[in-house]
Amino acid sequence: MSERIKLAVIGGFLGSGKTTTILGLAKKLIGSGTKVGIVTNDQGSDLVDTNFLRSAGFPVLEVDGGCFCCNFEEFVAKLNTLAREELPDIILAEPVGSCTDLVASIFKPMQLKHTEDFTLAPLVVLADPRRVRRLMTDGERRFQSEINYLFRKQLEEADIILLSKADLYSQEELDELKNYLKKTFKGTEVSSISAKEGDGLDSILPVILAGEAEENKTLMELDYSVYGLAESFLGWFNATAAVEAASADEVKAFVTDFMQAIQTKVSDMDKEIAHLKTYAMASGGYLKASITSVDDTLDFYEDNFRSSGRFSIVINARMNVEAETLGPLMKQAIEKAAGKHGFSIADYKSDCFTPAAPSGAARGLAPEGECCCCCSGKGREDVM
Ligand SMILES: Nc1nc2c(ncn2[C@@H]2O[C@H](COP(=O)(O)OP(=O)(O)OP(=O)(O)O)[C@@H](O)[C@H]2O)c(=O)[nH]1
Ligand SMILES: [Mg+2]
């Protein structure tokens, strides 16, 4: 490697728009002749995001089974593999949306140990205007206060906060939220983007390409017991399955049915969906469906999704519903919708768990495997 590779970490709460933004940035970068690699991350395996980004043709490696900070050596190994095999100019990395303290646990170790090969862009953190609006008032009522704390801390450590999904809001609404963020997180750059429409990506690209993360940034104060509680309130569900269907439309209707059924159930429980997403694929064509709140309407992204036959399906859910409840809730909704459409579910495999509490040891340069939620695997419950 003659030139150092730019590493751009695109953080933000669950469902804030990280993957969509990474896809938008990657397309722009490729269009301008810049070679891109992507690293995704999750506390489980079988990720909608990895499948989705690979379907778009990008080289994607994932760090699964724990966040980047708990698997720092694996994260670096994936960066090195991408560097060797893809010769990228830039690597876009998406940390788990329930993760914070990225400066302490990723930026500092990278800046101390890996400066020969990599240089870090400023930390970009995406913020869904819907959640910032709720933060401006009392916080997200359906989330425990600890989850609101985690959301606030993610914003606090950002170099740049990007209000995402700008196409859904008026300029006046966005300005009000920007003013609030600038006042609350003094010194942080705040702007807005619509990754879906492609607006604002051109302004952020030069910051990522030419900007450098500050080396001596002061670490934010973080109460790891509160952070740990926030993580522990989140239920995690990842599943894969296959269905035989006569048409892609039927699969889309099935996906719509089970996702809406879950949305209704979670709303009735007075809980909140952080992100519920499904990826369905057959013969190269695919569909992605997402909901990022119980108040959300289903959002679809599809490409050439029109074949028939065997469809492989990946489902990921993150919400503040305990694992013992979430697993059966998901399974029942999937089975009921399958029954309605006359599908039999094949090769069903699922993992449902609650991340364990963070220990706080990662701040600075803690030994690998002692930093947070997913390191010890404590609290992990496979209920299905
Ligand atoms: N309208 C609109 N929707 C968007 C935009 N960006 C993302 N979304 C939608 O928001 C939902 C979540 O987007 P993702 O990019 O998957 O969010 P994420 O932060 O990667 O989610 P996790 O990886 O689960 O934390 C999807 O339905 C997206 O289509 C946008 O600019 N405009
Ligand atoms: Mg994502």
Side-chain angles (χ1 to χ4, degrees):
M1 281 177 270
S2 52
E3 295 270 318
R4 291 195 298 171
I5 295 170
K6 189 49 105 37
L7 171 63
V9 178
I10 313 290
F13 190 67
L14 296 155
S16 56
K18 299 178 293 295
T19 303
T20 313
T21 302
I22 284 175
L23 180 63
L25 291 170
K27 284 181 175 169
K28 290 250 173 204
L29 287 161
I30 288 286
S32 65
T34 307
K35 290 190 77 179
V36 183
I38 299 173
V39 185
T40 55
N41 179 215
D42 195 58
Q43 304 202 0
S45 55
D46 299 318
L47 307 188
V48 168
D49 291 356
T50 305
N51 282 286
F52 176 61
L53 291 165
R54 280 184 186 151
S55 296
F58 291 100
V60 186
L61 293 182
E62 68 184 26
V63 173
D64 62 17
C67 56
F68 286 151
C69 45
C70 304
N71 291 287
F72 184 72
E73 293 309 322
E74 190 191 339
F75 174 55
V76 173
K78 296 283 158 91
L79 295 178
N80 283 327
T81 304
L82 274 175
R84 199 173 52 247
E85 294 178 359
E86 306 293 337
L87 306 175
D89 303 300
I90 180 163
I91 295 177
L92 303 168
E94 175 178 342
V96 185
S98 60
C99 209
T100 190
D101 216 18
L102 300 172
V103 173
S105 53
I106 297 176
F107 281 57
K108 292 280 176 197
M110 284 301 296
Q111 286 164 333
L112 279 166
K113 296 207 244 170
H114 301 284
T115 43
E116 269 183 29
D117 301 326
F118 300 97
T119 171
L120 277 148
L123 173 59
V124 173
V125 175
L126 287 153
D128 187 327
R130 180 205 313 263
R131 300 214 189 277
V132 177
R133 163 73 58 200
R134 292 173 185 172
L135 190 69
M136 270 176 78
T137 48
D138 282 344
E140 179 79 66
R141 183 185 64 78
R142 287 169 184 264
F143 275 147
Q144 290 85 344
S145 60
E146 291 83 358
I147 299 180
N148 286 303
Y149 173 84
L150 165 63
F151 178 60
R152 183 182 286 274
K153 285 291 168 183
Q154 289 178 323
L155 299 176
E156 187 181 323
E157 72 171 334
D159 292 312
I160 302 150
I161 297 174
L162 286 182
L163 276 169
S164 56
K165 312 181 188 182
D167 53 291
L168 301 177
Y169 300 87
S170 68
Q171 194 54 51
E172 205 181 11
E173 286 172 301
L174 292 171
D175 286 344
E176 191 193 352
L177 297 176
K178 274 186 213 171
N179 287 338
Y180 164 76
L181 289 169
K182 281 180 187 162
K183 259 200 289 184
T184 311
F185 304 105
K186 291 207 168 53
T188 307
E189 243 183 81
V190 183
S191 59
S192 56
I193 54 156
S194 165
K196 210 170 199 181
E197 307 276 315
D199 292 341
L201 292 170
D202 284 333
S203 324
I204 199 68
L205 271 176
V207 181
I208 287 174
L209 286 170
E212 292 280 339
E214 195 187 319
E215 295 228 351
N216 299 313
K217 194 170 171 178
T218 314
L219 300 184
M220 72 173 172
E221 280 180 23
L222 179 68
D223 185 334
Y224 262 72
S225 60
V226 182
Y227 175 23
L229 272 172
E231 294 259 17
S232 72
F233 288 133
L234 291 165
W236 225 257
F237 174 91
N238 287 1
T240 53
V243 294
E244 292 281 341
S247 74
D249 282 348
E250 236 180 25
V251 175
K252 189 171 180 179
F254 156 69
V255 169
T256 304
D257 282 347
F258 82 74
M259 289 182 69
Q260 285 179 342
I262 292 159
Q263 190 175 26
T264 305
K265 288 254 178 222
V266 177
S267 177
D268 290 348
M269 291 158 73
D270 207 22
K271 297 285 173 87
E272 172 65 324
I273 293 172
H275 201 175
L276 167 61
K277 48 189 166 175
T278 303
Y279 171 91
M281 197 271 285
S283 310
Y286 65 93
L287 168 83
K288 187 175 89 122
S290 277
I291 301 173
T292 54
S293 171
V294 287
D295 306 325
D296 211 359
T297 47
L298 254 175
D299 184 42
F300 293 103
Y301 185 107
E302 55 186 275
D303 185 18
N304 200 25
F305 190 63
R306 47 175 180 259
S307 88
S308 58
R310 192 176 174 87
F311 290 78
S312 57
I313 293 179
V314 184
I315 303 162
N316 296 163
R318 292 88 180 82
M319 56 187 80
N320 60 340
V321 174
E322 307 74 40
E324 311 84 71
T325 309
L326 178 60
L329 175 85
M330 294 293 302
K331 194 170 187 214
Q332 277 158 20
I334 294 163
E335 281 174 350
K336 191 165 175 204
K340 179 178 161 189
H341 293 277
F343 294 168
S344 59
I345 304 276
D347 303 335
Y348 184 79
K349 196 180 90 189
S350 73
D351 188 19
C352 190
F353 58 93
T354 302
S359 73
R363 296 178 67 85
L365 249 186
E368 194 204 350
E370 287 183 19
C371 62
C372 66
C373 52
C374 28
C375 304
S376 61
K378 267 184 272 158
R380 193 180 177 99
E381 283 179 70
D382 300 322
V383 295
M384 293 182 68

